[in-house]
Amino acid sequence: MALDAGRQDGHDSGTTPDEIDELARRAQAGDADALEAVLAAIRPRTLNVCRGVLPYTPDAEDACQEALLNIATKIGSWGGRGRFTTWTHVVAVNSSRTTYRRMKNQATAYDPQEHNPLSERPDPRTTSVIAGTRLDLLEAMETIEKDHPQYVEPLLLRDVYGLPYDEIAELVGVPLGTVKAQIHHGRKLARPLLRGDG
């Protein structure tokens, strides 16, 4: 499966949303060529979604690869009610958060006594995936998720990606009023956790 299909420059493939939906339906029915085509068509958009959470390019590309793999293996779970691209948006958001968690767990604390004490800290733009992330936002979402997991996905979809309330309600499978309430409460919880400086 050519998960690297498509350009990495973030431009759309030229495939219309209707064509993508049709390719996805064919892929659900077992058409391998349609699956390859739909992955190529959605890759630029998926990478852009991942960049919204992980602006350090190699990290965003890792998350994009994970998202494309998840889309390919779970394409049967797309219900076909909304746009396939909207469903993939959620998969990309979740893959970005999973990638962030994995990298955070793998990161080791910098100890100048153990590492070369005469050198400066490594440049985070080239060496640290964690330093290149929207750390305060991701940490806030991790904190909120511990006690209020139902708020995280709607809040990210609305405030980071700007999806309309009705699309979010359809994606998460709850009534519109509930989604609006979840986003409102999520914002109240997130505000004190976000850094106000900078």
Side-chain angles (χ1 to χ4, degrees):
M1 180 177 313
L3 293 182
D4 279 319
R7 300 276 306 153
Q8 294 186 13
D9 57 10
H11 294 309
D12 289 331
S13 64
T15 310
T16 68
D18 286 339
E19 290 169 335
I20 290 173
D21 287 353
E22 179 55 33
L23 285 169
R25 286 186 196 95
R26 287 174 34 209
Q28 283 182 317
D31 184 333
D33 291 337
L35 179 60
E36 292 296 325
V38 79
L39 291 174
I42 64 169
R43 188 185 191 288
R45 177 186 172 126
T46 303
L47 182 57
N48 283 338
V49 170
C50 294
R51 281 181 178 145
V53 176
L54 300 165
Y56 185 61
T57 300
D59 304 335
E61 289 172 350
D62 285 349
C64 180
Q65 286 298 100
E66 181 177 319
L68 292 172
L69 182 60
N70 287 334
I71 289 164
T73 57
K74 298 176 182 175
I75 196 164
S77 65
W78 172 54
R81 294 182 309 275
R83 288 282 184 200
F84 184 72
T85 52
T86 304
W87 177 78
T88 62
H89 203 113
V90 174
V91 175
V93 168
N94 290 334
S95 294
S96 297
R97 294 182 64 225
T98 299
T99 299
Y100 167 74
R101 282 189 200 115
R102 183 179 65 248
M103 291 185 296
K104 180 181 170 189
N105 290 337
Q106 291 172 349
T108 57
Y110 179 81
D111 182 348
Q113 298 303 321
E114 290 183 22
H115 300 85
N116 184 356
L118 299 176
S119 68
E120 294 182 15
R121 285 182 165 227
D123 183 347
R125 292 168 300 173
T126 58
T127 59
S128 172
V129 31
I130 299 300
T133 64
R134 300 170 81 170
L135 192 58
D136 59 337
L137 172 66
L138 293 171
E139 287 298 325
M141 294 303 106
E142 295 288 306
T143 300
I144 292 169
E145 191 167 43
K146 290 174 189 169
D147 294 321
H148 307 284
Q150 72 275 21
Y151 299 159
V152 174
E153 189 173 40
L155 187 59
L156 282 171
L157 292 172
R158 179 64 188 160
D159 288 356
V160 175
Y161 296 104
L163 289 185
Y165 290 107
D166 57 339
E167 280 188 37
I168 297 168
E170 185 176 321
L171 283 169
V172 299
V174 298
L176 181 61
T178 302
V179 160
K180 288 182 177 181
Q182 287 174 338
I183 292 168
H184 173 73
H185 292 302
R187 286 174 179 158
K188 284 172 65 174
L189 292 170
R191 246 177 242 122
L193 300 172
L194 297 174
R195 298 176 193 147
D197 50 284

